[in-house]
Amino acid sequence: METYFLNNEDIPKFYGAITEVYDLYVPVKIESSVAPACQSSFRLPTADYLLKNYALLDKKENAVFNDYRCVEPTRVFFTYFKEEVCSYFTDKAAQEQVDGRPKAICGVKNCDIFALRIQDYVFLNAGEEDPLYARRRQNTLVISGDCPSFKETCFCQAFDIPAYPAQGFDLNLSPLTHGYLLDVDSDKGRAIVKSLKDKLSPATFGQLSGRSAKRESVRMRLDEHLIQHKIPKKEALQDIVLSGYASPVWQEQMRTCVECGGCVFMCDTCHCFLLSEEHENGLNKKMRTWDGCLFKDFTRVAGGANPLKMRYMRLRNRYLKKFDFFISNLGFQACCGCGRCIEVCPGKIDIRYILRRLYEEKYLPAH
Amino acid sequence: MKKNIYQPIKARIEQVIPETSLIKTFVLKPESEFSFTTGQFVELSIPGVGEAPFTPSSDPAIKERIEVTIMKAGRITGLLHEMQVGDTLGLRGPYGKGYPLDKFKGKDILIVGGGVGLAPLRSLLFSLFSRIQDYKSVILRYGARTPNDIVYKEALPQWGTKDKVNALVTVDVGSPEWQGNVGLVTTVLADLGIDAPSVQAIVCGPPIMMKFVNLKLLDIGIKPENIYLSMEKSMSCGLGKCGHCRVGKYYACKDGPVFTYEQLKDIHDIWD
Ligand code: SF4
Ligand code: SF4
Ligand code: FES
């Protein structure tokens, strides 16, 4: 990995170099008025970031560096909500599916990178690669960034996921006062850097130390913010979801679930889908649509039997999948602490609270 | 170009054999040779309409044709029942793990089927019959609701006459013409004259039947690691990706659809 320094005023050139090859998506800030509460009395940010196509921005200056993750889960760039995965048995030549130019995503955070490991495991699984996912994953330029701040709902660090990426990106930006440190960790990234050579200088020891200090300060503030939530350590997760099978927390928490599916669709580590068939213009198509285990018919079989009949069973199922299935099969949990599910839920169902309850019921039964 | 994992091949319907009022066997001729091991499943699609998983009921040694026995139970199976000879279906697979025939060698094999659950077991029986010298004995216990619900009515009586094979059919509710046994399949599992600790028991049928058969098998001393259960789970992709078929830390489409009771015994609510 190489690290350079890029001046603030050269950022448009940086974007420019990327748009030579890629369709670039950049974070755009949107204000929100809801001030989140924090017992540690930090003034937590209220704004959000949405990813927009840079070429289509009216004002290029609206492209900003995001202080924390964007609203959209990163997986929206790799599997689409509903899309054709193959067409078959037709005399017409199957339309070659083209995605157009490859995409570059700016504003990816370390939680998103962690989540991509889950998506990769599912869709790139040896020998059974999903062709669409594989192609997009290969062609997409991932430009990540450190988080100089965090949202109320961020809890990556509770699972030992730092608020800055160390790997899994093509390029990474760490904000300093007058510019950014730019880490380069792939050939795709190097190609961009090459075209910017005269704008970049090798990172100095002082700049690198400055970055370390900033990262450490965020780490301490986030730790302090997380104390109030008492989120169990990642090592305890599998154990508490298994032993908490009969916990009252599921029944209690599902009461406000309206089965909107927000939690599963906004989640960057959720990956479930449903295959269906369509017939259009003489083509038989297999379609893949995002699905989620919070929906009533997710596990219904042809005869009508459904192991997850009740809402509380489906809520529990989501946790078993994330914290039992994935830990058993992949060695880590399918949750990156991005907090998107907390933010989206109209029922105010909070994963931090559920995990804490499961932990306390097991280890602090006096509560 | 790399193979698209979702792409089906063509399979032409060559013959449709009615088994009962709700069950038909479809003889399919895939456009190219199709191999599977007994117990694995396939995805069949009505092009542009819908897709569903089935376990072939035919002899895996035959590569030119596969047979699938289908009970009308929902939208797709209903539509499949209306398909005619000459129609083309989509075929993907095979998926999952088959029965571990190697582990069965030298043992008494007890096969317990219920209703249309005899379909995958027929494929297993063909595999066992073709190397019957490898096994100590094959005992089949098959239960159907009424005599009219029995599948493979013609073949069944012949199986029992084979060397080393002992077959018994029972129905929950008899009829005036029915001469055979009446009673749940769980009532014909005692006094089998077998060495329980080494018996390999294979069960396939409706969940409620499997639940009680499993209890009975444990009761007569068969070991949890020697009981093989076919788990019916909602499946979509068959590829370990869509997430629909999770059973505890397993996916039925990858690690199953056949599981030993040992694998399942600590998972909650497996029969629901
Ligand atoms: S976001 Fe909340 S209300 Fe919507 S399905 Fe998920 S848990 Fe239920
Ligand atoms: S479960 Fe919630 S916090 Fe965890 S990855 Fe999914 S959306 Fe983020
Ligand atoms: S059927 Fe899709 S994961 Fe098993």
Side-chain angles (χ1 to χ4, degrees), chain A residues 256-264 294 315 341 344-349:
Chain A
T256 51
C257 171
V258 295
E259 300 181 59
C260 63
C263 52
V264 290
L294 265 288
L315 183 62
C341 58
V344 76
C345 182
K348 298 200 173 355
I349 298 173

Side-chain angles (χ1 to χ4, degrees), chain A residues 85-90 96 121-125 127-131 242 245 271-275 277-279 283-286 288 291 297-307 309 313 316-317 320-321 324-326 328-329, chain B residues 1-11 31 45-51 73-75 77 88-92 95 207 232-251 254-255 268-269 272:
Chain A
V85 290
C86 82
S87 60
Y88 64 103
F89 301 177
T90 164
E96 179 56 25
Y121 170 78
V122 173
F123 290 103
L124 297 180
N125 203 348
E128 285 176 343
E129 266 184 26
D130 181 291
L242 286 172
Y245 192 81
H271 62 84
C272 291
F273 62 81
L274 185 71
L275 291 179
E277 303 268 330
E278 277 179 15
H279 188 84
L283 291 172
N284 303 305
K285 296 174 170 179
K286 268 192 210 305
R288 179 184 59 206
D291 201 355
D297 284 344
F298 186 73
T299 54
R300 206 180 75 98
V301 297
N306 185 357
K309 288 179 274 302
M313 297 172 175
R316 177 174 65 197
N317 180 72
L320 286 166
K321 175 72 183 283
D324 176 35
F325 178 91
F326 270 106
S328 289
N329 286 282
Chain B
M1 212 181 100
K2 242 192 207 152
K3 168 178 160 280
N4 184 338
I5 51 169
Y6 302 106
Q7 190 81 43
I9 61 166
K10 284 183 186 172
E31 61 181 330
S45 48
I46 306 175
V49 178
E51 189 179 53
R75 185 179 78 96
T77 50
T88 300
L89 299 178
L91 171 67
R92 301 192 281 133
Y95 299 123
E232 188 197 17
K233 287 287 148 196
S234 125
M235 294 202 201
S236 179
C237 68
L239 298 157
K241 300 197 188 309
C242 76
H244 281 260
C245 67
R246 189 182 68 85
V247 191
K249 58 180 191 282
Y250 307 111
Y251 272 150
K254 290 289 269 186
D255 310 295
H268 290 98
D269 302 329
D272 287 354

Side-chain angles (χ1 to χ4, degrees), chain A residues 39 155 158-159 225-233 236-237 240-241 244 247 249-250 252-253 319 323 350-365 367:
Chain A
Q39 284 177 13
F155 65 101
F159 294 160
H225 168 67
L226 289 175
I227 289 174
Q228 61 191 306
H229 292 293
K230 301 197 171 75
I231 301 164
K233 292 258 156 241
L237 296 171
I240 59 172
V241 293
S247 163
V249 78
W250 310 117
E252 232 170 68
Q253 293 293 304
Y319 286 71
F323 303 114
D350 188 330
I351 187 169
R352 298 169 298 185
Y353 175 74
I354 291 180
L355 291 174
R356 168 187 175 174
R357 275 281 302 273
L358 294 173
Y359 185 86
E360 291 180 349
E361 281 165 18
K362 169 141 191 179
Y363 292 105
L364 312 165
H367 275 245

Side-chain angles (χ1 to χ4, degrees), chain A residues 22 74-75 77-80 99 102-103 105 108 112-121 123-124 129-143 167-170 188:
Chain A
Y22 298 91
T74 308
R75 66 168 167 140
F77 287 90
F78 302 104
T79 60
Y80 303 158
D99 290 339
K103 293 187 171 70
I105 328 165
V108 174
D112 303 321
I113 288 179
F114 183 94
L116 274 178
R117 291 166 69 192
I118 307 281
Q119 303 293 337
D120 286 350
Y121 170 78
F123 290 103
L124 297 180
E129 266 184 26
D130 181 291
L132 289 173
Y133 183 93
R135 190 173 68 219
R136 288 175 194 151
R137 191 73 170 93
Q138 200 175 4
N139 294 343
T140 303
L141 186 75
V142 174
I143 308 157
Q167 57 194 22
F169 51 79
D170 296 300
K188 272 185 287 179

